């Protein structure tokens, strides 16, 4: 199931798993260290670029797509 998640969903789920705790009065609020969040984003973006994103073969392909 996790393979069908969007990049944003992957990042949010991982951040929630690493949350530093929740406030019982605010169960939908999580806290996470900004450095941890940056690392999560970098990790998932690298995964996405390697496994999902189909880069154009050349700069010429990019120019043709924009025409």
């Amino acid at each position: 199931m996790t393979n069908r998640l969007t990049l944003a969903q992957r990042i949010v789920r991982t951040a929630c798993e690493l949350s530093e705790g929740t406030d019982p009065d605010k169960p939908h609020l999580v806290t996470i260290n900004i450095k941890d969040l940056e690392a999560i984003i970098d990790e998932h973006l690298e995964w996405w670029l390697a496994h999902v994103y189909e880069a154009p073969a050349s700069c010429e392909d990019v120019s043709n797509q924009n025409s």
Side-chain angles (χ1 to χ4, degrees), residues 7-26:
L7 179 59
Q9 289 169 323
R10 289 173 175 275
I11 291 168
V12 169
R13 284 189 179 198
T14 303
C16 288
E17 290 170 3
L18 292 178
S19 173
E20 297 172 354
T22 58
D23 182 339
D25 296 329
K26 300 175 186 171

Side-chain angles (χ1 to χ4, degrees), residues 10-58:
R10 289 173 175 275
I11 291 168
V12 169
R13 284 189 179 198
T14 303
C16 288
E17 290 170 3
L18 292 178
S19 173
E20 297 172 354
T22 58
D23 182 339
D25 296 329
K26 300 175 186 171
H28 298 293
L29 177 68
V30 296
T31 57
I32 187 169
N33 179 295
I34 190 70
K35 295 291 183 188
D36 292 341
L37 181 58
E38 289 171 346
I40 290 168
I41 293 169
D42 287 344
E43 177 184 327
H44 285 283
L45 184 56
E46 286 178 18
W47 178 91
W48 185 81
L49 288 171
H51 295 93
V52 177
Y53 180 70
E54 294 183 26
S58 68

Side-chain angles (χ1 to χ4, degrees), residues 59-67:
C59 291
E60 185 176 302
D61 291 344
V62 173
S63 296
N64 291 338
Q65 289 177 354
N66 292 331
S67 301

